[in-house]
Amino acid sequence: MIEDPDFGQPIQNATVPLGREVVLSCVVDHLGKFKVGWLRAEDQTILTLHNKVVTHNSRIAVTHDNHRTWNLHIKQVKEADRGCYMCQINTNIMKKQVGCVDVHVPPDILYDETSVDQAVQEGENATLVCRATGHPPPRITWRREDGDPILIRKGLREIMKVDTYNGSLMHFWRLDRRQMGAFLCIASNDVPPAVSKRIILNVNFSPVVKVPNQLLGAPLGTDVQLECYVEAFPNTINYWVKNRGEMLLNGPKYVITESKATYKVYMSLVIRKFSHSDIGTYNCVSTNSLGKAEGTLRLYGLAEPPRGQSSRSNSAADAVEGEMRASASSSWGGSPLLVSLFFLVSRTNHLAWSASAR
């Protein structure tokens, strides 16, 4: 008795990256005079019949191991090839089984649906959007380009620091200048390569000037350095003025430098060979399209002890100075400005007393 043909084992489903070749195998026992065909299950399109390719698709091929296995080959796989394929035996009652192909596609950024560089006023809200295609659907991860943590505001005062942020939308509520920077939107789905887009978020605000030392004293004949720290965005124009007069320029007398990092600027003014004519008020000025700010520094000269004055006199003066500073600090709550002013007046009086005593 001749046995009817039947399938020897199920067709194994296959997963293949875009552009590769995939093979589906159909194992048939006791085929006899019957024939095997491959069809596209979705629309019943006949692809192969026994050893012949019927479709006009040049990427389709069929092979037979001269025994019991019929292989359907799909070369240079495209997304359109994703789906199920049917192996049929043309018996009186048709026999069939199905195997499916999943085509994995690497991620690709959808630039038309993804944020471009943004500039937002400090205190306002902003949202960065990143969308991508791919199969499986890509995961979206955000990170700062400089490697610093991402700052996410959770409440009026609570700010959370994270190395990465997951999701297509990254919301910033009441933007802070510290959140400014370049962000990388990274799309990945375990099908290489992952892709990314760089998005710059600028936070605009008017200049703020901080002066670490507002009152400075220096011996005559020395070089004196004045410093200011500026925070602002967009970029600022920075300069120094003396006694509310003209702008100071680089030259033999003044050495003016500045260094910038994102929204922070360090301003430095060096006065060479400090003399009586240099005593006065100096202002560091910073201006941008949103406003202007300045810091004030007052510079005075420190009197030097006369030549031949004994070390004992110096020691006495130092002792008096220490007592005066302690007393002033106690009386005025440790205010650096008031303590320095008190010391300046007292020091001058002490030097005058010493001269009259001699």
Short mmCIF file of all heavy atoms in Angstrom, two decimals, residues 207-213 216 224-232 235-240 250 255-271 284-286 297:
data_model
loop_
_atom_site.label_atom_id
_atom_site.label_comp_id
_atom_site.label_asym_id
_atom_site.label_seq_id
_atom_site.Cartn_x
_atom_site.Cartn_y
_atom_site.Cartn_z
N PRO A 207 22.42 88.99 31.92
CA PRO A 207 23.65 88.76 32.69
C PRO A 207 23.46 88.90 34.20
O PRO A 207 22.67 89.72 34.68
CB PRO A 207 24.59 89.85 32.14
CG PRO A 207 24.04 90.21 30.81
CD PRO A 207 22.56 90.06 30.92
N VAL A 208 24.21 88.09 34.92
CA VAL A 208 24.34 88.18 36.37
C VAL A 208 25.83 88.22 36.68
O VAL A 208 26.58 87.37 36.20
CB VAL A 208 23.69 86.98 37.08
CG1 VAL A 208 23.92 87.05 38.58
CG2 VAL A 208 22.20 86.90 36.77
N VAL A 209 26.27 89.23 37.44
CA VAL A 209 27.69 89.41 37.75
C VAL A 209 27.92 89.14 39.22
O VAL A 209 27.20 89.67 40.09
CB VAL A 209 28.17 90.83 37.38
CG1 VAL A 209 29.63 91.02 37.78
CG2 VAL A 209 27.99 91.08 35.88
N LYS A 210 28.93 88.33 39.51
CA LYS A 210 29.33 88.04 40.89
C LYS A 210 30.77 88.49 41.09
O LYS A 210 31.64 88.17 40.27
CB LYS A 210 29.17 86.56 41.20
CG LYS A 210 27.74 86.05 41.06
CD LYS A 210 27.66 84.55 41.29
CE LYS A 210 26.23 84.06 41.08
NZ LYS A 210 26.14 82.58 41.26
N VAL A 211 31.01 89.22 42.20
CA VAL A 211 32.35 89.73 42.51
C VAL A 211 32.81 89.08 43.81
O VAL A 211 32.23 89.33 44.87
CB VAL A 211 32.35 91.26 42.66
CG1 VAL A 211 33.75 91.77 42.98
CG2 VAL A 211 31.82 91.93 41.40
N PRO A 212 33.84 88.23 43.75
CA PRO A 212 34.27 87.54 44.97
C PRO A 212 34.87 88.48 46.01
O PRO A 212 34.70 88.28 47.20
CB PRO A 212 35.30 86.52 44.47
CG PRO A 212 35.74 87.02 43.13
CD PRO A 212 34.58 87.77 42.56
N ASN A 213 35.60 89.54 45.57
CA ASN A 213 36.21 90.49 46.50
C ASN A 213 35.86 91.91 46.04
O ASN A 213 36.39 92.39 45.04
CB ASN A 213 37.74 90.30 46.53
CG ASN A 213 38.13 88.96 47.08
OD1 ASN A 213 37.75 88.59 48.19
ND2 ASN A 213 38.87 88.18 46.29
N LEU A 216 39.51 95.65 47.81
CA LEU A 216 40.84 95.08 47.69
C LEU A 216 41.88 96.11 48.09
O LEU A 216 41.82 97.28 47.69
CB LEU A 216 41.11 94.64 46.24
CG LEU A 216 40.25 93.50 45.69
CD1 LEU A 216 40.53 93.32 44.21
CD2 LEU A 216 40.54 92.21 46.43
N VAL A 224 48.24 93.92 40.63
CA VAL A 224 46.98 93.65 41.32
C VAL A 224 46.01 93.02 40.32
O VAL A 224 45.86 93.50 39.20
CB VAL A 224 46.36 94.93 41.90
CG1 VAL A 224 45.10 94.60 42.68
CG2 VAL A 224 47.37 95.66 42.77
N GLN A 225 45.33 91.95 40.76
CA GLN A 225 44.36 91.27 39.90
C GLN A 225 42.94 91.46 40.45
O GLN A 225 42.67 91.19 41.62
CB GLN A 225 44.67 89.78 39.78
CG GLN A 225 43.73 89.06 38.81
CD GLN A 225 44.10 87.60 38.63
OE1 GLN A 225 44.72 86.99 39.51
NE2 GLN A 225 43.72 87.02 37.50
N LEU A 226 42.04 91.93 39.59
CA LEU A 226 40.62 92.05 39.91
C LEU A 226 39.86 90.98 39.13
O LEU A 226 40.17 90.70 37.97
CB LEU A 226 40.09 93.44 39.54
CG LEU A 226 40.91 94.64 40.02
CD1 LEU A 226 40.21 95.94 39.62
CD2 LEU A 226 41.11 94.60 41.52
N GLU A 227 38.84 90.38 39.75
CA GLU A 227 38.12 89.26 39.14
C GLU A 227 36.62 89.45 39.22
O GLU A 227 36.09 89.96 40.21
CB GLU A 227 38.48 87.94 39.84
CG GLU A 227 39.94 87.55 39.73
CD GLU A 227 40.24 86.29 40.54
OE1 GLU A 227 39.79 86.21 41.70
OE2 GLU A 227 40.92 85.40 40.01
N CYS A 228 35.92 89.00 38.17
CA CYS A 228 34.46 88.98 38.14
C CYS A 228 34.01 87.68 37.47
O CYS A 228 34.70 87.15 36.59
CB CYS A 228 33.90 90.16 37.35
SG CYS A 228 33.99 91.74 38.21
N TYR A 229 32.86 87.19 37.91
CA TYR A 229 32.26 86.00 37.31
C TYR A 229 30.90 86.37 36.74
O TYR A 229 30.06 86.96 37.43
CB TYR A 229 32.12 84.89 38.35
CG TYR A 229 33.45 84.37 38.83
CD1 TYR A 229 34.09 84.95 39.93
CD2 TYR A 229 34.08 83.30 38.20
CE1 TYR A 229 35.32 84.48 40.37
CE2 TYR A 229 35.30 82.82 38.64
CZ TYR A 229 35.92 83.42 39.73
OH TYR A 229 37.13 82.95 40.16
N VAL A 230 30.68 86.01 35.46
CA VAL A 230 29.46 86.38 34.76
C VAL A 230 28.72 85.12 34.34
O VAL A 230 29.33 84.14 33.90
CB VAL A 230 29.78 87.23 33.51
CG1 VAL A 230 28.50 87.58 32.75
CG2 VAL A 230 30.52 88.49 33.90
N GLU A 231 27.39 85.15 34.49
CA GLU A 231 26.53 84.11 33.92
C GLU A 231 25.51 84.79 33.02
O GLU A 231 24.82 85.72 33.45
CB GLU A 231 25.82 83.31 35.03
CG GLU A 231 26.78 82.47 35.87
CD GLU A 231 26.05 81.59 36.88
OE1 GLU A 231 24.80 81.63 36.90
OE2 GLU A 231 26.73 80.87 37.63
N ALA A 232 25.41 84.32 31.78
CA ALA A 232 24.47 84.93 30.83
C ALA A 232 24.40 84.09 29.57
O ALA A 232 25.33 83.36 29.22
CB ALA A 232 24.90 86.35 30.47
N ASN A 235 25.48 85.08 24.22
CA ASN A 235 26.82 85.56 24.54
C ASN A 235 26.81 87.04 24.91
O ASN A 235 26.00 87.83 24.41
CB ASN A 235 27.79 85.32 23.38
CG ASN A 235 28.08 83.84 23.19
OD1 ASN A 235 27.93 83.06 24.12
ND2 ASN A 235 28.47 83.46 22.00
N THR A 236 27.76 87.40 25.75
CA THR A 236 27.84 88.76 26.28
C THR A 236 29.03 89.52 25.69
O THR A 236 30.00 88.94 25.20
CB THR A 236 27.99 88.72 27.80
OG1 THR A 236 29.09 87.86 28.14
CG2 THR A 236 26.74 88.21 28.47
N ILE A 237 28.94 90.85 25.78
CA ILE A 237 30.08 91.74 25.57
C ILE A 237 30.53 92.19 26.96
O ILE A 237 29.72 92.71 27.74
CB ILE A 237 29.69 92.95 24.70
CG1 ILE A 237 29.27 92.48 23.31
CG2 ILE A 237 30.84 93.95 24.61
CD1 ILE A 237 28.72 93.59 22.43
N ASN A 238 31.80 91.99 27.27
CA ASN A 238 32.31 92.25 28.62
C ASN A 238 33.45 93.27 28.57
O ASN A 238 34.29 93.21 27.66
CB ASN A 238 32.81 90.95 29.26
CG ASN A 238 31.78 89.84 29.19
OD1 ASN A 238 30.67 90.00 29.68
ND2 ASN A 238 32.14 88.73 28.58
N TYR A 239 33.49 94.17 29.54
CA TYR A 239 34.56 95.17 29.57
C TYR A 239 34.70 95.73 30.99
O TYR A 239 33.85 95.51 31.86
CB TYR A 239 34.30 96.29 28.56
CG TYR A 239 32.98 97.00 28.71
CD1 TYR A 239 32.87 98.17 29.47
CD2 TYR A 239 31.83 96.52 28.08
CE1 TYR A 239 31.66 98.83 29.61
CE2 TYR A 239 30.62 97.17 28.21
CZ TYR A 239 30.53 98.33 28.98
OH TYR A 239 29.34 98.97 29.11
N TRP A 240 35.80 96.46 31.19
CA TRP A 240 36.12 97.08 32.48
C TRP A 240 36.12 98.61 32.31
O TRP A 240 36.55 99.12 31.28
CB TRP A 240 37.50 96.65 32.98
CG TRP A 240 37.59 95.19 33.35
CD1 TRP A 240 37.87 94.15 32.52
CD2 TRP A 240 37.42 94.63 34.65
NE1 TRP A 240 37.90 92.97 33.21
CE2 TRP A 240 37.62 93.23 34.53
CE3 TRP A 240 37.14 95.17 35.91
CZ2 TRP A 240 37.54 92.37 35.62
CZ3 TRP A 240 37.04 94.31 37.00
CH2 TRP A 240 37.24 92.93 36.85
N ASN A 250 43.51 96.68 26.82
CA ASN A 250 44.76 95.94 26.99
C ASN A 250 45.94 96.82 26.60
O ASN A 250 45.88 97.56 25.61
CB ASN A 250 44.76 94.68 26.13
CG ASN A 250 44.48 93.43 26.93
OD1 ASN A 250 44.97 93.28 28.05
ND2 ASN A 250 43.67 92.54 26.37
N VAL A 255 46.22 94.30 31.80
CA VAL A 255 46.13 93.01 31.11
C VAL A 255 44.72 92.47 31.34
O VAL A 255 44.36 92.12 32.47
CB VAL A 255 47.18 92.02 31.63
CG1 VAL A 255 47.03 90.67 30.91
CG2 VAL A 255 48.59 92.57 31.45
N ILE A 256 43.92 92.43 30.29
CA ILE A 256 42.52 92.03 30.39
C ILE A 256 42.34 90.69 29.70
O ILE A 256 42.69 90.52 28.53
CB ILE A 256 41.61 93.08 29.75
CG1 ILE A 256 41.78 94.42 30.45
CG2 ILE A 256 40.15 92.63 29.78
CD1 ILE A 256 41.06 95.57 29.77
N THR A 257 41.80 89.72 30.42
CA THR A 257 41.55 88.39 29.86
C THR A 257 40.17 87.92 30.28
O THR A 257 39.61 88.40 31.28
CB THR A 257 42.59 87.36 30.33
OG1 THR A 257 42.59 87.29 31.76
CG2 THR A 257 43.99 87.73 29.84
N GLU A 258 39.65 86.97 29.53
CA GLU A 258 38.40 86.31 29.92
C GLU A 258 38.37 84.91 29.35
O GLU A 258 38.96 84.64 28.30
CB GLU A 258 37.17 87.11 29.50
CG GLU A 258 36.94 87.22 28.00
CD GLU A 258 35.65 87.97 27.69
OE1 GLU A 258 35.51 89.14 28.12
OE2 GLU A 258 34.79 87.38 27.01
N SER A 259 37.69 84.01 30.05
CA SER A 259 37.53 82.64 29.58
C SER A 259 36.06 82.27 29.71
O SER A 259 35.38 82.69 30.65
CB SER A 259 38.41 81.67 30.39
OG SER A 259 38.09 81.74 31.76
N LYS A 260 35.60 81.45 28.75
CA LYS A 260 34.17 81.14 28.67
C LYS A 260 33.94 79.64 28.68
O LYS A 260 34.68 78.89 28.05
CB LYS A 260 33.58 81.75 27.39
CG LYS A 260 32.09 81.58 27.24
CD LYS A 260 31.61 82.27 25.97
CE LYS A 260 30.09 82.20 25.84
NZ LYS A 260 29.59 80.83 25.74
N ALA A 261 32.92 79.20 29.41
CA ALA A 261 32.47 77.81 29.40
C ALA A 261 30.95 77.83 29.45
O ALA A 261 30.36 78.23 30.46
CB ALA A 261 33.05 77.04 30.59
N THR A 262 30.32 77.41 28.36
CA THR A 262 28.86 77.48 28.18
C THR A 262 28.36 78.88 28.52
O THR A 262 28.71 79.83 27.84
CB THR A 262 28.14 76.40 29.02
OG1 THR A 262 28.41 76.58 30.41
CG2 THR A 262 28.57 75.01 28.59
N TYR A 263 27.57 79.01 29.60
CA TYR A 263 26.99 80.32 29.92
C TYR A 263 27.80 81.08 30.97
O TYR A 263 27.39 82.14 31.43
CB TYR A 263 25.55 80.15 30.41
CG TYR A 263 25.42 79.29 31.65
CD1 TYR A 263 25.52 79.84 32.93
CD2 TYR A 263 25.18 77.91 31.55
CE1 TYR A 263 25.39 79.06 34.06
CE2 TYR A 263 25.06 77.13 32.67
CZ TYR A 263 25.16 77.70 33.93
OH TYR A 263 25.04 76.91 35.05
N LYS A 264 28.96 80.57 31.36
CA LYS A 264 29.78 81.20 32.40
C LYS A 264 31.01 81.86 31.79
O LYS A 264 31.66 81.29 30.92
CB LYS A 264 30.21 80.16 33.43
CG LYS A 264 29.05 79.54 34.20
CD LYS A 264 29.55 78.53 35.23
CE LYS A 264 28.39 77.92 36.00
NZ LYS A 264 28.86 76.95 37.02
N VAL A 265 31.31 83.07 32.28
CA VAL A 265 32.47 83.81 31.81
C VAL A 265 33.27 84.28 33.02
O VAL A 265 32.70 84.82 33.99
CB VAL A 265 32.07 85.03 30.95
CG1 VAL A 265 33.31 85.80 30.50
CG2 VAL A 265 31.26 84.59 29.75
N TYR A 266 34.58 84.08 32.97
CA TYR A 266 35.48 84.58 34.00
C TYR A 266 36.22 85.78 33.44
O TYR A 266 36.85 85.70 32.39
CB TYR A 266 36.47 83.49 34.42
CG TYR A 266 37.63 83.98 35.25
CD1 TYR A 266 37.46 84.35 36.58
CD2 TYR A 266 38.91 84.08 34.70
CE1 TYR A 266 38.53 84.80 37.34
CE2 TYR A 266 39.98 84.53 35.45
CZ TYR A 266 39.77 84.89 36.78
OH TYR A 266 40.83 85.34 37.52
N MET A 267 36.11 86.94 34.13
CA MET A 267 36.76 88.18 33.70
C MET A 267 37.91 88.51 34.66
O MET A 267 37.76 88.42 35.88
CB MET A 267 35.77 89.35 33.70
CG MET A 267 34.60 89.18 32.76
SD MET A 267 33.42 90.56 32.90
CE MET A 267 34.45 91.97 32.46
N SER A 268 39.03 88.91 34.10
CA SER A 268 40.21 89.24 34.92
C SER A 268 40.84 90.53 34.41
O SER A 268 40.98 90.73 33.20
CB SER A 268 41.23 88.09 34.86
OG SER A 268 42.46 88.49 35.44
N LEU A 269 41.18 91.39 35.35
CA LEU A 269 41.90 92.63 35.06
C LEU A 269 43.14 92.68 35.95
O LEU A 269 43.02 92.66 37.18
CB LEU A 269 41.02 93.85 35.32
CG LEU A 269 41.73 95.21 35.31
CD1 LEU A 269 42.28 95.53 33.91
CD2 LEU A 269 40.80 96.32 35.79
N VAL A 270 44.32 92.72 35.33
CA VAL A 270 45.57 92.85 36.08
C VAL A 270 46.11 94.26 35.88
O VAL A 270 46.29 94.72 34.74
CB VAL A 270 46.61 91.80 35.63
CG1 VAL A 270 47.94 92.04 36.34
CG2 VAL A 270 46.10 90.39 35.90
N ILE A 271 46.32 94.96 37.01
CA ILE A 271 46.89 96.31 36.98
C ILE A 271 48.37 96.19 37.33
O ILE A 271 48.73 95.75 38.42
CB ILE A 271 46.18 97.23 37.99
CG1 ILE A 271 44.68 97.25 37.69
CG2 ILE A 271 46.77 98.64 37.95
CD1 ILE A 271 43.86 97.97 38.75
N CYS A 284 33.27 95.86 36.43
CA CYS A 284 33.23 94.88 35.34
C CYS A 284 31.80 94.89 34.81
O CYS A 284 30.84 94.74 35.56
CB CYS A 284 33.63 93.49 35.82
SG CYS A 284 32.73 92.89 37.26
N VAL A 285 31.66 95.10 33.51
CA VAL A 285 30.34 95.28 32.90
C VAL A 285 30.10 94.16 31.88
O VAL A 285 30.99 93.80 31.11
CB VAL A 285 30.25 96.65 32.20
CG1 VAL A 285 28.85 96.88 31.64
CG2 VAL A 285 30.64 97.77 33.15
N SER A 286 28.89 93.60 31.92
CA SER A 286 28.51 92.54 30.98
C SER A 286 27.14 92.86 30.40
O SER A 286 26.21 93.19 31.13
CB SER A 286 28.48 91.19 31.71
OG SER A 286 28.14 90.15 30.82
N LEU A 297 34.19 97.01 42.25
CA LEU A 297 35.34 96.67 43.09
C LEU A 297 36.04 97.96 43.48
O LEU A 297 36.28 98.83 42.62
CB LEU A 297 36.34 95.75 42.36
CG LEU A 297 35.83 94.42 41.81
CD1 LEU A 297 35.26 94.59 40.40
CD2 LEU A 297 36.93 93.36 41.81
#
